[in-house]
Each structure stands twice: as C-alpha cells, then as structure tokens.
C-alpha cells in the first residue's frame, strides 16, 4: 500500500477532498489517465453511466451520485501527466449495511471501470489514506485543480 501525500498547494481544493475520501472510506476506486479532467470524467461516466443519472456537483468540487441503494462521492483532478480520479461508494442512508449495496457497486461501477481503454483503475483499501497503485500515489503528490 502507498500513502497519498497532500501537497501544500492542494490544501482547500478538490484534491484535498479526494484525499479525505481515501482517508475515510473503506473501499475506493482510483483512476489514472493521460487525458484531461473533462475527458476522464466522460470516460468514467461512459463506463458507468448510472453515475450521471442522479447527481449533484458539490461546492467542494466533488460529485455525489445516487445509484440505487447507495451513493458515490467522486471527483477528477489534474496532474502533470493527465488526470486522477477517486470514486468512493457510500451508504444510501445512515446505518445502512455495506452488504446491502456493495455487490451493486461492484457490478455497476467497479467492474465497468476496469474496461475503460487507456485508463488505469484499481480498487484501494481506503480508510487508511493509502492506495494500491504506486504510480497513482506518486502522481497524487503533484495533483492540482
């Protein structure tokens, strides 16, 4: 596992919000591309179209998608070689058990994201501020909005 380090210039930005997601959530999906932010978001939504069906763009720059019985907090930021994204599934309501919705997330979002061409995706343990991809962690240190 590799620590996500937040650079000082990223404080108070969507980069910090993504960092907080990785620290707080038990399962996240990371995405790394060599294309721009808008194109990366488009590739993610193309692979998992339910992300765009019912969503809000939050003032923090993150997107909150409601997908059936759960929600996904996600966002895309730039880095010198392209874009980085983090997708974090969350319960649909307070006290909901992850077993109620985790299989849906795997089938509707995680599995399709693996099929994106030219995109490196990986599930990450989360809730520890770490990810499984060394290159993602390295690129995250240079992430910006």
């Amino acid at each position: 596992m590799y620590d996500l380090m937040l650079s000082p210039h990223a404080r108070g930005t969507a980069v910090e919000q993504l960092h907080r997601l990785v620290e707080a959530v038990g399962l996240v999906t990371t995405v790394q591309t060599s294309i721009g932010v808008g194109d990366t978001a488009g590739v993610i939504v193309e692979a998992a179209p339910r992300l765009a069906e019912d969503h809000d763009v939050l003032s923090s720059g993150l997107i909150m998608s409601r997908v059936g019985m759960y929600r996904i907090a996600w966002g895309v930021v730039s880095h010198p070689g392209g874009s980085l994204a983090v997708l974090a599934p969350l319960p649909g309501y307070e006290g909901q058990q992850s077993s109620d919705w985790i299989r849906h997330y795997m089938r509707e979002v995680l599995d399709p994201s693996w099929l994106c061409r030219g995109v490196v995706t990986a599930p990450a343990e989360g809730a520890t501020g770490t990810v499984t991809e060394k290159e993602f962690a390295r690129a995250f240190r240079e992430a910006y909005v």
Side-chain angles (χ1 to χ4, degrees), residues 22-90:
V22 174
E23 286 182 322
V25 178
L27 170 70
V28 298
T29 301
T30 60
V31 178
Q32 183 172 359
T33 70
S34 60
I35 56 180
V37 169
D39 291 335
T40 298
V43 167
I44 292 169
V45 169
E46 185 178 325
R50 294 203 60 201
L51 291 173
E53 289 176 3
D54 183 9
H55 69 282
D56 294 313
V57 178
L58 308 177
S59 62
S60 65
L62 294 182
I63 300 164
M64 184 64 70
S65 298
R66 285 167 292 286
V67 181
M69 299 184 299
Y70 61 97
R71 300 169 300 144
I72 300 173
W74 63 288
V76 184
V77 296
S78 297
H79 75 93
S83 300
L84 303 171
V86 173
L87 295 92
L90 303 168

Short mmCIF file of all heavy atoms in Angstrom, two decimals, residues 22-90:
data_model
loop_
_atom_site.label_atom_id
_atom_site.label_comp_id
_atom_site.label_asym_id
_atom_site.label_seq_id
_atom_site.Cartn_x
_atom_site.Cartn_y
_atom_site.Cartn_z
N VAL A 22 -10.21 9.11 0.59
CA VAL A 22 -9.35 7.93 0.73
C VAL A 22 -9.06 7.66 2.20
O VAL A 22 -8.99 6.50 2.61
CB VAL A 22 -8.06 8.10 -0.10
CG1 VAL A 22 -7.09 6.95 0.16
CG2 VAL A 22 -8.37 8.19 -1.58
N GLU A 23 -8.94 8.71 2.99
CA GLU A 23 -8.70 8.51 4.43
C GLU A 23 -9.92 7.96 5.15
O GLU A 23 -9.80 7.25 6.13
CB GLU A 23 -8.32 9.85 5.08
CG GLU A 23 -6.93 10.31 4.76
CD GLU A 23 -6.58 11.61 5.47
OE1 GLU A 23 -7.47 12.48 5.60
OE2 GLU A 23 -5.43 11.73 5.88
N ALA A 24 -11.11 8.29 4.66
CA ALA A 24 -12.33 7.99 5.41
C ALA A 24 -13.09 6.75 4.98
O ALA A 24 -13.78 6.13 5.79
CB ALA A 24 -13.28 9.19 5.32
N VAL A 25 -13.00 6.38 3.72
CA VAL A 25 -13.87 5.34 3.17
C VAL A 25 -13.10 4.02 3.04
O VAL A 25 -11.95 4.00 2.62
CB VAL A 25 -14.46 5.79 1.81
CG1 VAL A 25 -15.32 4.71 1.21
CG2 VAL A 25 -15.25 7.06 1.99
N GLY A 26 -13.76 2.92 3.35
CA GLY A 26 -13.11 1.61 3.37
C GLY A 26 -12.78 1.05 2.00
O GLY A 26 -11.88 0.24 1.87
N LEU A 27 -13.47 1.45 0.96
CA LEU A 27 -13.19 0.96 -0.39
C LEU A 27 -13.28 2.14 -1.33
O LEU A 27 -14.28 2.86 -1.33
CB LEU A 27 -14.22 -0.09 -0.82
CG LEU A 27 -14.19 -0.51 -2.29
CD1 LEU A 27 -12.94 -1.32 -2.60
CD2 LEU A 27 -15.43 -1.30 -2.66
N VAL A 28 -12.23 2.38 -2.09
CA VAL A 28 -12.26 3.41 -3.13
C VAL A 28 -11.73 2.80 -4.42
O VAL A 28 -11.02 1.79 -4.40
CB VAL A 28 -11.45 4.67 -2.77
CG1 VAL A 28 -12.01 5.35 -1.53
CG2 VAL A 28 -9.97 4.36 -2.59
N THR A 29 -12.10 3.42 -5.52
CA THR A 29 -11.55 3.04 -6.81
C THR A 29 -10.74 4.23 -7.31
O THR A 29 -11.24 5.36 -7.30
CB THR A 29 -12.67 2.72 -7.81
OG1 THR A 29 -13.46 1.67 -7.28
CG2 THR A 29 -12.10 2.30 -9.16
N THR A 30 -9.50 3.98 -7.70
CA THR A 30 -8.67 5.05 -8.25
C THR A 30 -8.61 4.90 -9.75
O THR A 30 -8.64 3.79 -10.28
CB THR A 30 -7.24 5.01 -7.67
OG1 THR A 30 -6.63 3.76 -7.98
CG2 THR A 30 -7.26 5.21 -6.16
N VAL A 31 -8.52 6.04 -10.43
CA VAL A 31 -8.44 6.05 -11.89
C VAL A 31 -7.33 7.02 -12.27
O VAL A 31 -7.27 8.14 -11.76
CB VAL A 31 -9.77 6.54 -12.52
CG1 VAL A 31 -9.65 6.60 -14.04
CG2 VAL A 31 -10.92 5.64 -12.10
N GLN A 32 -6.44 6.59 -13.15
CA GLN A 32 -5.36 7.44 -13.63
C GLN A 32 -5.36 7.42 -15.15
O GLN A 32 -5.37 6.34 -15.75
CB GLN A 32 -4.02 6.97 -13.09
CG GLN A 32 -2.87 7.85 -13.49
CD GLN A 32 -1.57 7.49 -12.79
OE1 GLN A 32 -1.53 6.56 -11.97
NE2 GLN A 32 -0.52 8.21 -13.09
N THR A 33 -5.36 8.60 -15.77
CA THR A 33 -5.38 8.69 -17.23
C THR A 33 -4.30 9.65 -17.71
O THR A 33 -3.73 10.41 -16.92
CB THR A 33 -6.73 9.20 -17.75
OG1 THR A 33 -6.87 10.59 -17.41
CG2 THR A 33 -7.89 8.41 -17.20
N SER A 34 -4.09 9.65 -19.00
CA SER A 34 -3.16 10.60 -19.62
C SER A 34 -3.93 11.67 -20.39
O SER A 34 -3.36 12.35 -21.23
CB SER A 34 -2.20 9.85 -20.56
OG SER A 34 -2.94 9.19 -21.56
N ILE A 35 -5.22 11.81 -20.09
CA ILE A 35 -6.07 12.79 -20.76
C ILE A 35 -6.57 13.83 -19.75
O ILE A 35 -6.37 13.67 -18.56
CB ILE A 35 -7.24 12.10 -21.49
CG1 ILE A 35 -8.07 11.24 -20.52
CG2 ILE A 35 -6.72 11.25 -22.64
CD1 ILE A 35 -9.27 10.52 -21.14
N GLY A 36 -7.25 14.86 -20.22
CA GLY A 36 -7.73 15.94 -19.36
C GLY A 36 -8.86 15.54 -18.43
O GLY A 36 -9.45 14.46 -18.57
N VAL A 37 -9.16 16.43 -17.51
CA VAL A 37 -10.19 16.19 -16.49
C VAL A 37 -11.54 15.90 -17.12
O VAL A 37 -12.21 14.93 -16.75
CB VAL A 37 -10.27 17.40 -15.53
CG1 VAL A 37 -11.49 17.31 -14.63
CG2 VAL A 37 -9.01 17.49 -14.69
N GLY A 38 -11.99 16.74 -18.05
CA GLY A 38 -13.30 16.55 -18.67
C GLY A 38 -13.39 15.24 -19.42
O GLY A 38 -14.41 14.53 -19.34
N ASP A 39 -12.34 14.91 -20.15
CA ASP A 39 -12.33 13.64 -20.89
C ASP A 39 -12.31 12.44 -19.95
O ASP A 39 -12.97 11.43 -20.20
CB ASP A 39 -11.13 13.58 -21.84
CG ASP A 39 -11.25 14.56 -23.00
OD1 ASP A 39 -12.39 14.94 -23.35
OD2 ASP A 39 -10.20 14.95 -23.54
N THR A 40 -11.58 12.56 -18.85
CA THR A 40 -11.54 11.47 -17.86
C THR A 40 -12.91 11.26 -17.24
O THR A 40 -13.38 10.12 -17.13
CB THR A 40 -10.48 11.75 -16.78
OG1 THR A 40 -9.19 11.82 -17.41
CG2 THR A 40 -10.47 10.68 -15.71
N ALA A 41 -13.56 12.36 -16.85
CA ALA A 41 -14.91 12.23 -16.29
C ALA A 41 -15.84 11.59 -17.32
O ALA A 41 -16.66 10.74 -16.97
CB ALA A 41 -15.45 13.60 -15.87
N GLY A 42 -15.69 11.97 -18.59
CA GLY A 42 -16.51 11.38 -19.65
C GLY A 42 -16.28 9.90 -19.81
O GLY A 42 -17.23 9.13 -19.99
N VAL A 43 -15.02 9.46 -19.73
CA VAL A 43 -14.70 8.04 -19.84
C VAL A 43 -15.32 7.26 -18.67
O VAL A 43 -15.86 6.17 -18.85
CB VAL A 43 -13.17 7.83 -19.90
CG1 VAL A 43 -12.79 6.38 -19.69
CG2 VAL A 43 -12.61 8.34 -21.22
N ILE A 44 -15.23 7.84 -17.47
CA ILE A 44 -15.79 7.18 -16.29
C ILE A 44 -17.31 7.04 -16.43
O ILE A 44 -17.87 5.97 -16.20
CB ILE A 44 -15.42 7.95 -15.00
CG1 ILE A 44 -13.91 7.82 -14.75
CG2 ILE A 44 -16.22 7.44 -13.81
CD1 ILE A 44 -13.39 8.74 -13.67
N VAL A 45 -17.97 8.12 -16.83
CA VAL A 45 -19.43 8.08 -16.98
C VAL A 45 -19.84 7.17 -18.13
O VAL A 45 -20.85 6.47 -18.05
CB VAL A 45 -20.00 9.51 -17.16
CG1 VAL A 45 -21.45 9.48 -17.58
CG2 VAL A 45 -19.84 10.29 -15.86
N GLU A 46 -19.03 7.13 -19.18
CA GLU A 46 -19.33 6.21 -20.29
C GLU A 46 -19.25 4.77 -19.82
O GLU A 46 -20.08 3.94 -20.19
CB GLU A 46 -18.34 6.44 -21.43
CG GLU A 46 -18.63 5.63 -22.67
CD GLU A 46 -17.65 5.94 -23.79
OE1 GLU A 46 -17.22 7.10 -23.92
OE2 GLU A 46 -17.31 5.00 -24.53
N ALA A 47 -18.27 4.47 -18.97
CA ALA A 47 -18.12 3.10 -18.45
C ALA A 47 -19.19 2.76 -17.42
O ALA A 47 -19.63 1.62 -17.34
CB ALA A 47 -16.74 2.93 -17.83
N ALA A 48 -19.59 3.75 -16.63
CA ALA A 48 -20.58 3.54 -15.57
C ALA A 48 -21.64 4.65 -15.67
O ALA A 48 -21.65 5.59 -14.88
CB ALA A 48 -19.89 3.56 -14.21
N PRO A 49 -22.53 4.56 -16.66
CA PRO A 49 -23.48 5.65 -16.93
C PRO A 49 -24.42 6.00 -15.79
O PRO A 49 -24.92 7.12 -15.73
CB PRO A 49 -24.26 5.16 -18.15
CG PRO A 49 -23.97 3.72 -18.30
CD PRO A 49 -22.69 3.45 -17.58
N ARG A 50 -24.62 5.09 -14.85
CA ARG A 50 -25.53 5.41 -13.74
C ARG A 50 -24.98 6.53 -12.87
O ARG A 50 -25.73 7.18 -12.14
CB ARG A 50 -25.80 4.16 -12.91
CG ARG A 50 -26.59 3.14 -13.75
CD ARG A 50 -27.37 2.15 -12.97
NE ARG A 50 -28.36 2.77 -12.11
CZ ARG A 50 -28.87 2.14 -11.07
NH1 ARG A 50 -28.48 0.93 -10.75
NH2 ARG A 50 -29.78 2.72 -10.32
N LEU A 51 -23.69 6.81 -12.95
CA LEU A 51 -23.12 7.91 -12.18
C LEU A 51 -23.71 9.26 -12.58
O LEU A 51 -23.75 10.19 -11.78
CB LEU A 51 -21.59 7.96 -12.37
CG LEU A 51 -20.80 6.82 -11.75
CD1 LEU A 51 -19.34 6.92 -12.16
CD2 LEU A 51 -20.94 6.83 -10.25
N ALA A 52 -24.17 9.37 -13.82
CA ALA A 52 -24.69 10.64 -14.32
C ALA A 52 -26.20 10.77 -14.19
O ALA A 52 -26.75 11.85 -14.39
CB ALA A 52 -24.30 10.81 -15.79
N GLU A 53 -26.89 9.70 -13.84
CA GLU A 53 -28.36 9.73 -13.80
C GLU A 53 -28.91 10.66 -12.74
O GLU A 53 -29.84 11.42 -13.00
CB GLU A 53 -28.91 8.32 -13.58
CG GLU A 53 -28.74 7.43 -14.79
CD GLU A 53 -29.20 6.00 -14.53
OE1 GLU A 53 -29.73 5.71 -13.42
OE2 GLU A 53 -29.04 5.17 -15.43
N ASP A 54 -28.39 10.62 -11.53
CA ASP A 54 -28.89 11.42 -10.43
C ASP A 54 -27.68 11.87 -9.62
O ASP A 54 -27.13 11.10 -8.84
CB ASP A 54 -29.85 10.59 -9.57
CG ASP A 54 -30.48 11.39 -8.43
OD1 ASP A 54 -30.31 12.63 -8.39
OD2 ASP A 54 -31.12 10.76 -7.57
N HIS A 55 -27.24 13.10 -9.84
CA HIS A 55 -26.03 13.55 -9.18
C HIS A 55 -26.08 15.05 -8.88
O HIS A 55 -26.87 15.78 -9.47
CB HIS A 55 -24.81 13.25 -10.04
CG HIS A 55 -24.74 14.08 -11.28
ND1 HIS A 55 -25.49 13.82 -12.40
CD2 HIS A 55 -24.03 15.20 -11.56
CE1 HIS A 55 -25.24 14.73 -13.32
NE2 HIS A 55 -24.37 15.59 -12.85
N ASP A 56 -25.25 15.46 -7.96
CA ASP A 56 -25.07 16.87 -7.62
C ASP A 56 -23.58 17.17 -7.65
O ASP A 56 -22.76 16.34 -7.22
CB ASP A 56 -25.58 17.18 -6.20
CG ASP A 56 -27.08 17.00 -6.08
OD1 ASP A 56 -27.80 17.50 -6.96
OD2 ASP A 56 -27.52 16.35 -5.11
N VAL A 57 -23.23 18.35 -8.12
CA VAL A 57 -21.85 18.83 -8.02
C VAL A 57 -21.79 19.67 -6.76
O VAL A 57 -22.51 20.66 -6.62
CB VAL A 57 -21.44 19.64 -9.26
CG1 VAL A 57 -20.01 20.16 -9.09
CG2 VAL A 57 -21.56 18.80 -10.52
N LEU A 58 -20.98 19.24 -5.81
CA LEU A 58 -20.89 19.91 -4.51
C LEU A 58 -19.96 21.11 -4.59
O LEU A 58 -19.10 21.20 -5.48
CB LEU A 58 -20.39 18.92 -3.46
CG LEU A 58 -21.16 17.59 -3.37
CD1 LEU A 58 -20.52 16.67 -2.35
CD2 LEU A 58 -22.61 17.85 -3.04
N SER A 59 -20.09 22.03 -3.66
CA SER A 59 -19.24 23.22 -3.64
C SER A 59 -17.77 22.86 -3.48
O SER A 59 -16.90 23.62 -3.88
CB SER A 59 -19.68 24.18 -2.54
OG SER A 59 -19.56 23.57 -1.28
N SER A 60 -17.48 21.71 -2.93
CA SER A 60 -16.10 21.25 -2.74
C SER A 60 -15.46 20.81 -4.05
O SER A 60 -14.26 20.57 -4.10
CB SER A 60 -16.07 20.07 -1.77
OG SER A 60 -16.76 18.96 -2.33
N GLY A 61 -16.27 20.69 -5.11
CA GLY A 61 -15.75 20.21 -6.38
C GLY A 61 -16.01 18.73 -6.60
O GLY A 61 -15.82 18.21 -7.69
N LEU A 62 -16.45 18.03 -5.55
CA LEU A 62 -16.77 16.62 -5.70
C LEU A 62 -18.16 16.45 -6.31
O LEU A 62 -18.98 17.36 -6.28
CB LEU A 62 -16.73 15.90 -4.36
CG LEU A 62 -15.37 15.80 -3.67
CD1 LEU A 62 -15.50 15.02 -2.38
CD2 LEU A 62 -14.34 15.17 -4.58
N ILE A 63 -18.41 15.27 -6.82
CA ILE A 63 -19.71 14.91 -7.38
C ILE A 63 -20.31 13.84 -6.48
O ILE A 63 -19.61 12.90 -6.09
CB ILE A 63 -19.56 14.38 -8.82
CG1 ILE A 63 -18.92 15.46 -9.69
CG2 ILE A 63 -20.91 13.92 -9.37
CD1 ILE A 63 -18.37 14.94 -11.00
N MET A 64 -21.57 14.00 -6.14
CA MET A 64 -22.27 12.97 -5.36
C MET A 64 -23.34 12.36 -6.26
O MET A 64 -24.30 13.02 -6.64
CB MET A 64 -22.93 13.59 -4.12
CG MET A 64 -23.58 12.56 -3.22
SD MET A 64 -22.42 11.38 -2.48
CE MET A 64 -21.55 12.44 -1.33
N SER A 65 -23.12 11.11 -6.62
CA SER A 65 -24.07 10.38 -7.46
C SER A 65 -24.89 9.44 -6.59
O SER A 65 -24.34 8.78 -5.71
CB SER A 65 -23.32 9.56 -8.52
OG SER A 65 -22.59 10.38 -9.39
N ARG A 66 -26.19 9.39 -6.85
CA ARG A 66 -27.06 8.44 -6.16
C ARG A 66 -27.38 7.33 -7.16
O ARG A 66 -27.91 7.59 -8.25
CB ARG A 66 -28.32 9.15 -5.68
CG ARG A 66 -28.06 10.03 -4.47
CD ARG A 66 -29.19 10.98 -4.15
NE ARG A 66 -29.38 12.03 -5.14
CZ ARG A 66 -28.57 13.09 -5.29
NH1 ARG A 66 -27.50 13.22 -4.55
NH2 ARG A 66 -28.82 14.01 -6.20
N VAL A 67 -27.02 6.14 -6.77
CA VAL A 67 -27.19 4.99 -7.65
C VAL A 67 -27.93 3.92 -6.87
O VAL A 67 -27.34 3.22 -6.06
CB VAL A 67 -25.82 4.44 -8.14
CG1 VAL A 67 -26.01 3.26 -9.08
CG2 VAL A 67 -25.00 5.54 -8.80
N GLY A 68 -29.22 3.80 -7.11
CA GLY A 68 -29.99 2.78 -6.41
C GLY A 68 -29.94 2.94 -4.90
O GLY A 68 -30.30 3.97 -4.36
N MET A 69 -29.41 1.93 -4.22
CA MET A 69 -29.40 1.90 -2.76
C MET A 69 -28.15 2.50 -2.14
O MET A 69 -27.93 2.36 -0.95
CB MET A 69 -29.52 0.45 -2.29
CG MET A 69 -30.81 -0.23 -2.73
SD MET A 69 -30.98 -1.90 -2.06
CE MET A 69 -29.57 -2.73 -2.76
N TYR A 70 -27.30 3.15 -2.93
CA TYR A 70 -26.07 3.71 -2.39
C TYR A 70 -25.71 5.00 -3.11
O TYR A 70 -26.36 5.40 -4.06
CB TYR A 70 -24.93 2.69 -2.48
CG TYR A 70 -24.59 2.27 -3.90
CD1 TYR A 70 -23.55 2.88 -4.59
CD2 TYR A 70 -25.32 1.28 -4.55
CE1 TYR A 70 -23.26 2.51 -5.88
CE2 TYR A 70 -25.02 0.90 -5.84
CZ TYR A 70 -23.99 1.53 -6.50
OH TYR A 70 -23.70 1.16 -7.78
N ARG A 71 -24.69 5.66 -2.62
CA ARG A 71 -24.19 6.89 -3.21
C ARG A 71 -22.71 6.72 -3.55
O ARG A 71 -22.05 5.86 -2.96
CB ARG A 71 -24.32 8.07 -2.24
CG ARG A 71 -25.74 8.34 -1.80
CD ARG A 71 -25.81 9.32 -0.66
NE ARG A 71 -25.10 8.78 0.50
CZ ARG A 71 -24.38 9.51 1.36
NH1 ARG A 71 -24.28 10.80 1.21
NH2 ARG A 71 -23.77 8.95 2.37
N ILE A 72 -22.23 7.52 -4.46
CA ILE A 72 -20.80 7.51 -4.79
C ILE A 72 -20.31 8.95 -4.78
O ILE A 72 -20.83 9.80 -5.51
CB ILE A 72 -20.52 6.89 -6.16
CG1 ILE A 72 -21.00 5.45 -6.18
CG2 ILE A 72 -19.03 6.97 -6.49
CD1 ILE A 72 -20.92 4.80 -7.53
N ALA A 73 -19.34 9.22 -3.93
CA ALA A 73 -18.66 10.51 -3.94
C ALA A 73 -17.45 10.33 -4.85
O ALA A 73 -16.69 9.37 -4.71
CB ALA A 73 -18.22 10.90 -2.53
N TRP A 74 -17.30 11.24 -5.81
CA TRP A 74 -16.17 11.10 -6.72
C TRP A 74 -15.76 12.45 -7.27
O TRP A 74 -16.48 13.43 -7.19
CB TRP A 74 -16.46 10.09 -7.82
CG TRP A 74 -17.59 10.43 -8.76
CD1 TRP A 74 -18.92 10.43 -8.49
CD2 TRP A 74 -17.47 10.79 -10.14
NE1 TRP A 74 -19.64 10.76 -9.61
CE2 TRP A 74 -18.77 10.99 -10.64
CE3 TRP A 74 -16.38 10.95 -11.00
CZ2 TRP A 74 -19.01 11.34 -11.97
CZ3 TRP A 74 -16.62 11.30 -12.32
CH2 TRP A 74 -17.92 11.48 -12.79
N GLY A 75 -14.55 12.46 -7.80
CA GLY A 75 -14.04 13.68 -8.40
C GLY A 75 -12.82 13.37 -9.24
O GLY A 75 -12.20 12.31 -9.11
N VAL A 76 -12.51 14.32 -10.11
CA VAL A 76 -11.37 14.20 -11.02
C VAL A 76 -10.53 15.46 -10.90
O VAL A 76 -11.08 16.57 -10.90
CB VAL A 76 -11.84 14.03 -12.49
CG1 VAL A 76 -10.65 13.79 -13.41
CG2 VAL A 76 -12.86 12.90 -12.62
N VAL A 77 -9.23 15.30 -10.78
CA VAL A 77 -8.30 16.42 -10.71
C VAL A 77 -7.16 16.20 -11.70
O VAL A 77 -6.97 15.09 -12.20
CB VAL A 77 -7.74 16.60 -9.28
CG1 VAL A 77 -8.84 16.97 -8.30
CG2 VAL A 77 -7.00 15.36 -8.80
N SER A 78 -6.43 17.25 -11.96
CA SER A 78 -5.30 17.17 -12.90
C SER A 78 -4.01 16.80 -12.19
O SER A 78 -3.86 17.02 -10.98
CB SER A 78 -5.10 18.54 -13.57
OG SER A 78 -6.22 18.89 -14.34
N HIS A 79 -3.10 16.27 -12.96
CA HIS A 79 -1.70 16.10 -12.53
C HIS A 79 -0.87 16.31 -13.80
O HIS A 79 -1.43 16.32 -14.91
CB HIS A 79 -1.45 14.76 -11.83
CG HIS A 79 -1.40 13.57 -12.74
ND1 HIS A 79 -0.23 13.09 -13.27
CD2 HIS A 79 -2.37 12.77 -13.21
CE1 HIS A 79 -0.49 12.04 -14.03
NE2 HIS A 79 -1.79 11.82 -14.00
N PRO A 80 0.42 16.52 -13.68
CA PRO A 80 1.21 16.86 -14.88
C PRO A 80 1.10 15.87 -16.04
O PRO A 80 1.25 16.26 -17.19
CB PRO A 80 2.64 16.93 -14.34
CG PRO A 80 2.47 17.34 -12.92
CD PRO A 80 1.21 16.64 -12.46
N GLY A 81 0.80 14.61 -15.78
CA GLY A 81 0.70 13.62 -16.85
C GLY A 81 -0.71 13.33 -17.32
O GLY A 81 -0.93 12.45 -18.14
N GLY A 82 -1.72 14.03 -16.79
CA GLY A 82 -3.11 13.75 -17.17
C GLY A 82 -4.07 14.05 -16.04
O GLY A 82 -4.07 15.14 -15.49
N SER A 83 -4.87 13.04 -15.66
CA SER A 83 -5.89 13.22 -14.62
C SER A 83 -5.92 12.04 -13.67
O SER A 83 -5.53 10.93 -14.02
CB SER A 83 -7.28 13.35 -15.26
OG SER A 83 -7.33 14.43 -16.13
N LEU A 84 -6.42 12.34 -12.48
CA LEU A 84 -6.61 11.33 -11.43
C LEU A 84 -8.04 11.44 -10.93
O LEU A 84 -8.57 12.54 -10.81
CB LEU A 84 -5.66 11.58 -10.26
CG LEU A 84 -4.18 11.62 -10.56
CD1 LEU A 84 -3.42 12.11 -9.33
CD2 LEU A 84 -3.69 10.25 -10.99
N ALA A 85 -8.64 10.31 -10.62
CA ALA A 85 -9.98 10.31 -10.06
C ALA A 85 -10.04 9.31 -8.91
O ALA A 85 -9.30 8.33 -8.88
CB ALA A 85 -11.02 9.92 -11.12
N VAL A 86 -10.92 9.61 -7.97
CA VAL A 86 -11.22 8.70 -6.87
C VAL A 86 -12.73 8.57 -6.83
O VAL A 86 -13.46 9.56 -6.90
CB VAL A 86 -10.70 9.24 -5.52
CG1 VAL A 86 -11.18 8.36 -4.37
CG2 VAL A 86 -9.18 9.34 -5.53
N LEU A 87 -13.21 7.34 -6.75
CA LEU A 87 -14.64 7.05 -6.60
C LEU A 87 -14.80 6.28 -5.29
O LEU A 87 -14.12 5.27 -5.08
CB LEU A 87 -15.16 6.19 -7.75
CG LEU A 87 -15.13 6.85 -9.12
CD1 LEU A 87 -13.84 6.52 -9.84
CD2 LEU A 87 -16.30 6.39 -9.94
N ALA A 88 -15.69 6.77 -4.44
CA ALA A 88 -15.87 6.15 -3.12
C ALA A 88 -17.34 5.84 -2.89
O ALA A 88 -18.16 6.75 -2.79
CB ALA A 88 -15.37 7.09 -2.03
N PRO A 89 -17.70 4.57 -2.82
CA PRO A 89 -19.10 4.22 -2.54
C PRO A 89 -19.43 4.51 -1.09
O PRO A 89 -18.61 4.31 -0.20
CB PRO A 89 -19.15 2.73 -2.84
CG PRO A 89 -17.76 2.25 -2.59
CD PRO A 89 -16.86 3.39 -2.97
N LEU A 90 -20.64 5.01 -0.89
CA LEU A 90 -21.12 5.36 0.45
C LEU A 90 -22.52 4.78 0.63
O LEU A 90 -23.25 4.61 -0.35
CB LEU A 90 -21.19 6.88 0.59
CG LEU A 90 -19.89 7.64 0.34
CD1 LEU A 90 -20.17 9.13 0.22
CD2 LEU A 90 -18.88 7.36 1.43
#
